[in-house]
């Protein structure tokens, strides 16, 4: 990979927020101490998780959070993005855990940045039902009421695009439905839930609110009209469907006509202003007309009836997951968003970026992060207002349908002993942060 890893990292503006991310279901464990989520149900079905592992224990962060906050403090991050588990908040003593975690973070001088929904929906609920959005707002009010005196920065949802696509359209994630385009109401109800959550957080006095959406450049397989059309469609699904209702108060390309309920009224709620816009970036996607697939979508063969297919991005190194390493895709994505949305785009925070690789001496992860942080700096220099960068992830964790097989952490977790061991990338990132001070 072309990298300048030896050169000094360019300086980011004063006040730039450096952090790492995790999510509740992927690290907490202690599944017996909360009600079930859709992910517990899905994982229990044979064949759903590739290596057969479950998140019942995961990293046991629920019992070891003090050790993990000490790792954050040692790393020297400004902020920690974690998620609050709705099923845990519904369970006795659940909110007490987040209360203790937030206290521990504050005592360590690390800003808590909770995500209120990171895919672990209570098993009794369903995003196909509109009522779930209202229930989400009620839950958000409860969490904000308890933590709002110490938490200033909030994230409503994580990647509603992936939760809709993988969970409800393709069936690769919980709740395992294969509805294809009949999954669109799930998108609308999550967007509505986002807007209602922004209102609930404002009512509780919160002033720094964003969402974490997954985005990446879409590259057409060729200049042929059929490939361009397919790529445009994919770009609408990944990059516009979840951004434009929030930023512009409108669905792209007539998709609003396919959504349930009083869409015009709902869009007013969905477009409730946010303070910043979170982007999770991993890689671009090369997309062509249907039928020509030569690559998988994140490890998944797409059904032939979709109006696009995914092609290989050639000539690039790939991560352990097989994802191509394309740092300049991050610059391209951010400048494209700035050009598309102008001053409707609030300041941007990279809420996730990272890679899966094996090993403690993870020079490949260092090269990946180094190149992506430089690509982010290039976006800043091109005039994009970027305010923060969070590495996915603090530690190895339960990687959804991949189980424990994909390791994204700066810290290695031994799933037998639960011992944490900082990798070379942990020490490297600590040094990058020190040099920025
Ligand atoms: C993102 C998810 C996160 C993690 C990374 C690798 O799509 O938000 O939980 O799984 O991918």
């Amino acid at each position: 990979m072309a990298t300048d890893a030896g050169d000094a990292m360019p300086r980011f503006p004063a006040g730039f927020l450096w952090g790492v991310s995790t999510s509740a279901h992927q690290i907490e464990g202690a599944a017996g101490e909360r009600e079930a989520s859709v992910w517990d149900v899905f994982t229990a079905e044979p064949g759903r998780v590739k290596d057969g592992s479950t998140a019942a224990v995961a990293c046991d962060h629920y019992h070891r959070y003090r050790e993990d906050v000490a790792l954050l403090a040692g790393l020297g991050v400004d902020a920690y993005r974690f998620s609050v588990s709705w099923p845990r908040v519904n369970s006795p003593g659940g909110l007490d855990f987040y209360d203790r975690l937030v206290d521990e973070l504050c005592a360590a001088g690390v800003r808590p940045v909770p995500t209120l929904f990171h895919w672990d929906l209570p098993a009794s609920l369903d995003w196909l039902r509109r009522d779930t959005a209202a229930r989400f707002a009620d839950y958000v009010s409860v969490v904000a009421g308890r933590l709002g005196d110490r938490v200033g920065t909030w994230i409503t949802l994580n990647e509603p695009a992936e939760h809709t696509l993988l969970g409800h359209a393709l069936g690769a994630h919980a709740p395992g439905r294969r509805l294809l385009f009949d999954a669109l109401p799930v998108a609308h109800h999550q967007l509505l839930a986002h807007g209602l959550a922004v209102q609930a957080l404002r009512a509780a006095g919160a002033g720094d609110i964003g969402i974490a959406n997954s985005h990446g450049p879409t590259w057409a397989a060729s200049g042929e009209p059929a490939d361009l059309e397919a790529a445009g469609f994919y770009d609408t699904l990944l990059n516009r469907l979840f951004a434009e209702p929030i930023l512009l108060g409108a669905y792209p390309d007539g998709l609003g006509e396919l959504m349930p309920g009083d869409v015009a009224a709902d869009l007013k709620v969905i477009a409730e202003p946010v303070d910043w816009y979170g982007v999770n970036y991993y890689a671009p996607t090369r997309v062509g007309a249907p039928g020509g697939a030569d690559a998988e979508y994140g490890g998944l063969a797409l059904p032939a009836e979709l109006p696009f297919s995914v092609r290989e991005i050639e000539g690039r190194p790939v991560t352990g997951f097989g994802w191509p390493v394309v740092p300049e895709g991050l610059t391209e994505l951010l400048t494209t968003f700035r050009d598309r949305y102008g001053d409707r785009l609030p300041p941007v925070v990279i809420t996730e970026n990272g890679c899966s690789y094996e090993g403690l001496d993870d020079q490949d992860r260092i090269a990946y992060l180094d190149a992506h942080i430089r690509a982010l700096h290039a976006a800043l220099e091109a005039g994009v207002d970027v305010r923060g960068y969070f590495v996915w992830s603090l530690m190895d964790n339960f990687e959804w349908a991949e189980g424990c097989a994909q390791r994204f952490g700066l810290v290695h977790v031994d799933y037998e002993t639960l011992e944490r061991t900082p990798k070379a990338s942990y020490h490297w990132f600590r040094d990058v942060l020190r040099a920025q001070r």
Side-chain angles (χ1 to χ4, degrees):
M1 182 193 329
T3 167
D4 305 324
D7 301 349
M9 187 66 82
R11 281 201 77 77
F12 282 71
F16 190 86
L17 201 66
W18 296 96
V20 287
S21 298
T22 63
S23 90
H25 188 76
Q26 294 177 274
I27 66 166
E28 282 181 5
E33 295 176 56
R34 55 160 174 75
E35 65 174 46
S37 80
V38 293
W39 266 96
D40 300 306
V41 175
F42 182 80
T43 301
E45 294 167 11
R48 292 295 207 178
V49 174
K50 275 188 192 156
D51 66 355
S53 57
T54 77
V57 176
C59 309
D60 197 31
H61 169 76
Y62 183 79
H63 297 112
R64 292 163 199 256
Y65 69 95
R66 285 201 174 84
E67 188 183 344
D68 295 335
V69 173
L71 284 165
L72 291 164
L75 190 54
V77 285
D78 305 307
Y80 173 50
R81 175 181 173 228
F82 59 99
S83 80
V84 176
S85 156
W86 187 354
R88 197 174 296 289
V89 169
N90 283 352
S91 309
L95 254 178
D96 297 342
F97 168 67
Y98 298 105
D99 209 58
R100 294 194 295 276
L101 174 62
V102 165
D103 277 346
E104 194 78 12
L105 289 166
C106 292
V110 177
R111 184 195 300 190
V113 180
T115 305
L116 290 154
F117 176 70
H118 198 126
W119 301 352
D120 49 351
L121 189 73
S124 56
L125 298 179
D126 186 342
W127 283 118
L128 278 173
R129 291 206 307 262
R130 180 183 175 86
D131 174 52
T132 302
R135 303 280 295 275
F136 181 66
D138 293 343
Y139 144 78
V140 168
S141 296
V142 170
V143 177
R146 181 71 176 269
L147 305 180
D149 56 337
R150 285 149 294 155
V151 170
T153 303
W154 298 89
I155 298 175
T156 55
L157 308 180
N158 178 71
E159 297 190 356
E162 304 300 334
H163 191 56
T164 305
L165 189 67
L166 295 174
H168 298 78
L170 301 176
H173 278 189
R177 290 198 176 110
R178 282 176 67 87
L179 299 173
L180 299 181
F181 287 101
D182 289 340
L184 282 173
V186 171
H188 185 69
H189 294 152
Q190 285 180 94
L191 283 163
L192 181 60
H194 159 79
L196 291 170
V198 175
Q199 292 179 342
L201 289 166
R202 296 270 184 243
D208 192 31
I209 307 170
I211 183 168
N213 268 338
S214 60
H215 293 297
T218 306
W219 293 347
S222 79
E224 293 296 320
D227 286 337
L228 291 172
E229 191 187 333
F233 184 75
Y234 181 85
D235 184 51
T236 297
L237 283 186
L238 181 69
N239 292 324
R240 300 177 59 201
L241 177 59
F242 293 87
E244 296 186 6
I246 294 170
L247 301 178
L248 308 179
Y251 275 109
D253 291 351
L255 282 173
E257 287 158 32
L258 303 177
M259 297 302 184
D262 184 346
V263 176
D266 290 350
L267 280 167
K268 292 203 168 63
V269 177
I270 295 168
E272 197 69 51
V274 287
D275 300 287
W276 51 275
Y277 188 82
V279 169
N280 294 355
Y281 172 75
Y282 289 92
T285 311
R286 192 180 288 288
V287 174
D294 62 9
E296 294 186 329
Y297 176 82
L300 181 74
L302 290 177
E305 55 267 53
L306 288 179
F308 55 84
S309 63
V310 176
R311 312 294 174 84
E312 196 182 334
I313 293 181
E314 287 160 4
R316 298 290 185 151
V318 293
T319 69
F321 221 137
W323 298 352
V325 179
V326 188
E328 73 276 19
L330 179 56
T331 321
E332 179 188 328
L333 174 72
L334 296 177
T335 52
T336 302
F337 261 60
R338 191 267 322 274
D339 294 346
R340 261 184 201 173
Y341 303 122
D343 55 14
R344 305 294 288 272
L345 181 68
V348 171
V349 174
I350 304 304
T351 34
E352 285 181 25
N353 175 239
C355 48
S356 66
Y357 287 113
E358 290 293 315
L360 287 176
D361 186 21
D362 52 345
Q363 298 301 322
D364 31 21
R365 177 171 289 101
I366 292 174
Y368 179 102
L369 295 175
D370 182 276
H372 283 76
I373 294 171
R374 288 173 198 277
L376 183 61
H377 195 269
L380 264 173
E381 286 193 321
V384 184
D385 186 0
V386 188
R387 303 282 178 93
Y389 174 84
F390 288 69
V391 174
W392 183 273
S393 175
L394 169 65
M395 57 186 158
D396 296 339
N397 56 52
F398 178 79
E399 178 48 37
W400 308 114
E402 298 290 316
C404 293
Q406 299 295 340
R407 293 180 174 273
F408 278 87
L410 299 176
V411 174
H412 178 270
V413 176
D414 179 325
Y415 293 113
E416 298 292 316
T417 63
L418 296 169
E419 190 186 343
R420 279 88 161 122
T421 309
K423 303 179 189 176
S425 57
Y426 174 96
H427 300 294
W428 171 85
F429 193 47
R430 180 198 60 195
D431 293 345
V432 167
L433 301 186
R434 279 186 188 162
Q436 291 289 327
R437 306 290 179 226

